[in-house]
Amino acid sequence: MAAATMTVIDPVAALAELAPVGADPVRGGWSRHLLDDADRGMRAWFVRTAESLGLAVETDANANQWATWAPAGATGKALATGSHLDSVPGGGPLDGPLGVVSALAAVSRLMAEGHAPARPIRVANFAEEEGARFGVPCLGSQLLAGELDTGRVRDLADASGATYADVMTAAGYDPGAIGRDEPRLRGIAAYVELHIEQGRQLEPLGTPVGLATSILAHGRWRLTVTGRGDHAGATELDSRRDPMVVAAEVVLAARDRAVAADPATRSRATVGKQRIVPGGSNAIASQVTLWLDARAEHDVDVRALVDAILTDAANAAAAEGCDVEVAEESFSTRVAFDAALTDAMDDALGGVPRIPTGAGHDAGILSAHLPAAMIFVRNPDGVSHSPHEGASDEDIRAGADALTTVLRALT
């Protein structure tokens, strides 16, 4: 269908419109998590904006949103584009709203110029890409692709104790219907995702956009260290079983093991989240749960890195008289994006740099099931997952220009 008003979306203005939604007064930045009030606000914006363009909007059983432009003459499998609208706690304004906003902007431009696509164009907002609420990144795209045990997903609990099934039911979804969506996957010819660059590779090259080559293998592990709660002042140091001491050793081991790894593996490991019980300033903790994020060039490199860190954790726990349990929450193998699709995009753009990334994306999940590729927009400081994440207005518009060019060429 065609947009009657021929509205053209300016991505900079659209991002400004979204800025109040989920602004976090405590952490700074933005906190938008699956089906919370902020995420609902972002989703409502998606529906409102897509419908203003005359797009057909639907939400699948996995809570992913889709907006489709299928004018007369557009047949066969769709070219999909988009990203996600959720965020990490206290995250930046562009990861990943930039991709969704730019996709809608690109479609609006193609409509306004009278482009007649030979195939439908579909814009996606994938649910829970950051995994901030339930601990599993790319949750919506992984469910779509059938890469997760649905029973396990339904039992996942957020920090308040609400399960994924509870949250989905309260929002009007059927948690029993989640999982691989074969008809939807079969209806997509390829997926192109635009995203803010996470890192600083394009700035030295002096270019506003680039294409992705690969994603590092990466995963997330939960370590639960159990000791003995006690009094901070009355307990002698030599009789303590303090899980915080073990947690501190794990934090240091993550950095030290990554630094010591072969530079060719591009290894990195981070502990960015802890939960302390009981959490009193004058009490020795009884239990500490911490989350380890580890990444490297190849799967085997990640496994070797994590094994070394977990050995250090076990040794530290034994020395402190604590127990440690480990659970792998997620693991994504190394992704190499579709070469033919990337070459076609490069041809359309007239030749742009190609760069790898250490960050996971929905495009990486879908790449195992259909051709997928990515466009990156220059991040001058390289900062991401932070309120300080940014891009110039000119580069944001250059990214939307690039995506428009690619969608025009591929449809």
Side-chain angles (χ1 to χ4, degrees):
M1 61 183 70
T5 59
M6 305 299 286
T7 300
V8 176
I9 294 172
D10 174 28
V12 174
L15 288 164
E17 184 182 349
L18 289 173
V21 183
D24 193 324
V26 177
R27 300 182 181 95
W30 290 264
S31 295
R32 302 155 171 163
H33 307 145
L34 179 65
L35 295 174
D36 67 5
D37 289 343
D39 188 49
R40 289 170 183 266
M42 300 294 279
R43 289 166 163 270
W45 176 89
F46 180 86
V47 172
R48 185 169 63 249
T49 304
E51 289 183 343
S52 76
L53 297 175
L55 306 185
V57 182
E58 60 180 326
T59 304
D60 67 24
N62 300 309
N64 304 310
Q65 292 179 299
W66 303 88
T68 302
W69 180 34
T75 60
K77 295 184 177 183
L79 176 64
T81 184
S83 191
H84 61 97
L85 292 173
D86 66 307
S87 76
V88 298
L94 303 178
D95 173 18
L98 179 63
V100 177
V101 165
S102 297
L104 291 170
V107 169
S108 75
R109 292 178 183 189
L110 293 174
M111 287 178 160
E113 72 182 37
H115 177 65
R119 66 174 72 249
I121 298 177
R122 188 162 293 151
V123 178
N125 167 34
F126 284 107
E128 183 77 339
E129 193 271 355
E130 298 292 4
R133 183 164 190 177
F134 291 103
V136 178
C138 298
L139 184 59
S141 57
Q142 286 206 76
L143 284 169
L144 169 72
E147 295 192 0
L148 295 173
D149 180 306
T150 55
R152 177 197 166 216
V153 171
R154 282 188 282 270
D155 290 339
L156 292 172
D158 66 11
S160 73
T163 66
Y164 175 87
D166 294 336
V167 170
M168 289 286 280
T169 299
Y173 297 91
D174 176 8
I178 64 173
R180 183 175 173 87
D181 190 340
E182 188 65 36
R184 193 172 300 276
L185 284 172
R186 284 201 309 267
I188 299 174
Y191 176 69
V192 175
E193 180 170 358
L194 179 144
H195 204 280
I196 185 67
E197 179 191 12
Q198 294 172 295
R200 188 175 179 273
Q201 299 181 75
L202 292 176
E203 176 68 15
L205 299 175
T207 182
V209 299
L211 297 174
T213 57
S214 60
I215 298 176
L216 296 181
H218 58 281
R220 190 176 298 178
W221 288 262
R222 183 180 70 252
L223 286 74
T224 303
V225 185
T226 304
R228 184 184 65 215
D230 219 324
H231 194 288
T235 309
E236 297 293 336
L237 293 175
D238 61 2
S239 65
R240 297 184 179 201
R241 295 167 52 201
D242 188 347
M244 279 295 289
V245 172
V246 180
E249 294 280 359
V250 174
V251 171
L252 294 175
R255 170 63 68 86
D256 292 345
R257 290 292 188 173
V259 168
D262 182 344
T265 66
R266 301 178 65 219
S267 296
R268 62 275 320 254
T270 307
V271 175
K273 177 182 176 182
Q274 288 189 349
R275 185 168 62 220
I276 304 166
V277 178
S281 60
N282 60 349
I284 299 168
S286 59
Q287 188 175 83
V288 177
T289 304
L290 58 158
W291 282 261
L292 171 69
D293 180 294
R295 307 175 189 231
E297 187 66 42
H298 296 286
D299 299 10
V300 65
D301 300 323
V302 178
R303 296 294 185 187
L305 176 62
V306 172
D307 286 348
I309 296 168
L310 295 183
T311 296
D312 292 340
N315 291 339
E320 187 66 19
C322 294
D323 297 317
V324 59
E325 295 182 0
V326 180
E328 181 180 299
E329 290 194 337
S330 65
F331 186 82
S332 297
T333 63
R334 182 184 185 275
V335 170
F337 286 111
D338 188 84
L341 177 59
T342 303
D343 286 345
M345 292 165 60
D346 202 12
D347 289 343
L349 296 173
V352 297
R354 301 193 189 193
I355 57 176
T357 180
H361 299 283
D362 294 307
I365 300 301
L366 295 181
S367 68
H369 305 271
L370 51 87
M374 292 190 71
I375 299 171
F376 287 129
V377 174
R378 176 169 52 191
N379 183 339
D381 297 322
V383 176
S384 189
H385 282 188
S386 162
H388 302 294
E389 169 188 86
S392 70
D393 290 353
E394 293 76 14
D395 284 1
I396 288 171
R397 293 189 175 108
D401 290 344
L403 183 60
T404 304
T405 299
V406 165
L407 296 184
R408 184 189 300 113
L410 296 179
T411 60

